[in-house]
Amino acid sequence: MNFGIELVPNEPVLKVCYYAKKAEEIGADFVWITDHFNNRDAYVTLTSVSMSTNNIKIGVGVTNPYTRHITNTASALLTLNEISGGRAVLGVGPGDTVTFESVGLSRNKPLSAVRDTVHSARMLFSGRQVSYSGSHINFSNIRLPYGPGEIPIYIGAQGPKMLEMAGEIGDGVLINGSHPLDFDFAVSQIKKGTENASRQFDEVDIGAYTCFSIDPDYEKAANAAIPVVAFIVSGAPDSVLEKHNISANESEIISNMIKEGRFSELKDVVTEKMIDRFSITGDPESCEKRIYDLIDSGVTQIVAGSPLGANKEKSFNYIQSIIKNLKD
Ligand code: F42
């Protein structure tokens, strides 16, 4: 069982490094740094994180095939692997459409783009001279001489086809979800993928990339989770809303509030049920119970993501005892 901490570089890099060091100290196995161009750069942050830590695996969680070419991504990962002593991990997904739209990028053929990325990254990581011809990625006679690097590749996935493909070709999968209902389906899709590719199911590390908010005082934990849950509900596809019995109308109201910047009003429309379905929120005991529910659903890596808690510093202490119980 692995435990990861997601850190979003929307605050100064040195602060992110401080929390990454804390993640290592409390026994986490992975620190995942998100990749959005409107936050601080993921690889600059990862480089700094690698210099501030010693053992924890450090992953980009997740990059995409559209804003960065695979040759740049592979070069960054091999460099990170070199300076971190072999701790680099590549997470790749189809990317976030909202940020793409603002720079005129379209998420063309996402499935093939992610598949090409995984295959060509493995070739580039080999350090040999390689060529690749896919439907999204093409290059010839490229050699990254600072390889080889044994760099695991995780796929960020929600959709049925992406999940199945992650089972076929991923070393791991990162699923944005916090509730067992999301994982029953996801795990069966991943299993289908491993069977298609004649792989063992336990070759794939199944990560729950959760919205996590821990505090002995439920109200405080919930208040910290509300903005993140609001973003998740507003961006969730109809199928996901239906699964959790939340109407498209409720989602639209939240979406409009976010667009209009009415953040202080979100607490009136984000319900306790939404918080329950789209986050792990509550006191340490109930958060720990939710983690065990996810493990029962087949999850093998819990990633505690934003906001972590009402008080980030204290959250690490609560998470530490959960990790200790998990590992004992
Ligand atoms: N996105 C970011 O930009 N930055 C991050 O840091 C980030 C972190 C992250 C962590 C975990 C995680 O699960 C997701 C994360 N994301 C992040 C979001 C991620 O990049 C994706 O947006 C998210 O995972 C949603 O992906 P999805 O699996 O739902 O895939 C979408 C594209 C989808 O529609 N998938 C369909 C499916 O069934 O899986 C497949 C669609 C399909 O078949 N497309 C065809 C094809 O060939 O690709 C083309 C169809 C056509 O149009 O012709």
Side-chain angles (χ1 to χ4, degrees):
M1 188 66 208
N2 287 311
F3 203 98
I5 303 278
E6 174 217 48
L7 295 173
V8 180
N10 57 2
E11 51 190 351
V13 170
L14 292 181
K15 208 164 180 189
V16 177
C17 291
Y18 169 77
Y19 287 123
K21 180 77 192 145
K22 265 202 139 0
E24 181 169 85
E25 283 166 4
I26 65 167
D29 308 281
F30 288 77
V31 61
W32 294 100
I33 303 294
T34 58
D35 184 19
H36 293 98
F37 59 75
N38 49 4
N39 285 330
R40 286 161 185 80
D41 181 76
Y43 294 111
V44 175
T45 307
L46 281 159
T47 308
S48 313
V49 163
S50 82
M51 306 305 278
S52 320
T53 54
N54 297 308
N55 309 309
I56 197 165
K57 295 194 180 77
I58 45 180
V60 56
V62 300
T63 192
N64 70 79
Y66 301 97
T67 57
R68 303 185 194 259
H69 192 270
I70 185 55
T71 46
N72 295 119
T73 298
S75 174
L77 264 294
L78 281 173
T79 311
L80 188 64
N81 205 46
E82 183 181 83
I83 57 172
S84 67
R87 293 186 283 137
V89 185
L90 167 61
V92 61
D96 164 39
T97 41
V98 179
T99 43
F100 284 10
E101 274 163 23
S102 60
V103 290
L105 278 174
S106 67
R107 205 166 63 173
N108 189 27
K109 299 257 181 204
L111 214 56
S112 346
V114 173
R115 187 186 294 276
D116 277 2
T117 302
V118 174
H119 289 318
S120 55
R122 289 212 174 101
M123 292 169 77
L124 290 162
F125 290 160
S126 73
R128 296 193 308 268
Q129 179 161 309
V130 291
S131 302
Y132 187 85
S133 172
S135 55
H136 178 84
I137 292 171
N138 286 284
F139 55 80
S140 51
N141 301 322
I142 304 271
R143 178 166 175 256
L144 303 181
Y146 32 95
E150 288 286 321
I151 300 176
I153 304 180
Y154 283 61
I155 297 177
Q158 260 83 74
K161 292 185 188 162
M162 199 67 76
L163 287 161
E164 188 176 338
M165 186 177 75
E168 287 169 13
I169 61 173
D171 297 306
V173 51
L174 297 172
I175 304 160
N176 252 331
S178 305
H179 195 276
L181 266 180
D182 295 316
F183 289 91
D184 296 339
F185 173 72
V187 169
S188 69
Q189 286 303 111
I190 295 165
K191 206 171 244 167
K192 208 161 141 190
T194 54
E195 284 163 9
N196 297 345
S198 305
R199 302 175 75 197
Q200 296 298 314
F201 178 61
D202 63 6
E203 282 177 45
V204 185
D205 186 16
I206 300 179
Y209 215 85
T210 70
C211 163
F212 193 89
S213 187
I214 191 166
D215 197 281
D217 180 334
Y218 174 82
E219 288 305 316
K220 284 187 183 166
N223 282 337
I226 282 172
V228 183
V229 170
F231 271 98
I232 297 171
V233 173
S234 75
D238 289 348
S239 57
V240 172
L241 294 173
E242 262 168 43
K243 186 168 30 184
H244 293 291
N245 236 334
I246 288 161
S247 72
N249 184 43
E250 287 176 280
S251 162
E252 200 183 330
I253 290 171
I254 292 175
S255 199
N256 288 337
M257 270 187 186
I258 293 173
K259 277 184 204 145
E260 291 161 17
R262 292 154 56 204
F263 295 104
S264 62
E265 294 170 50
L266 287 172
K267 63 180 182 336
D268 303 323
V269 290
V270 172
T271 62
E272 215 166 287
K273 181 173 159 198
M274 291 175 190
I275 293 171
D276 174 63
R277 296 307 176 93
F278 293 108
S279 72
I280 294 181
T281 291
D283 59 43
E285 204 177 304
S286 43
C287 288
E288 187 162 350
K289 185 186 172 308
R290 277 290 290 270
I291 286 174
Y292 282 101
D293 291 344
L294 292 182
I295 294 170
D296 287 344
S297 309
V299 167
T300 53
Q301 178 171 172
I302 301 292
V303 182
S306 276
L308 294 182
N311 177 320
K312 217 166 174 172
E313 196 74 28
K314 286 187 185 157
S315 307
F316 278 93
N317 298 336
Y318 305 130
I319 294 172
Q320 180 169 29
S321 57
I322 293 180
I323 295 178
K324 188 173 176 304
N325 293 342
L326 274 175
K327 307 258 175 191
D328 278 351

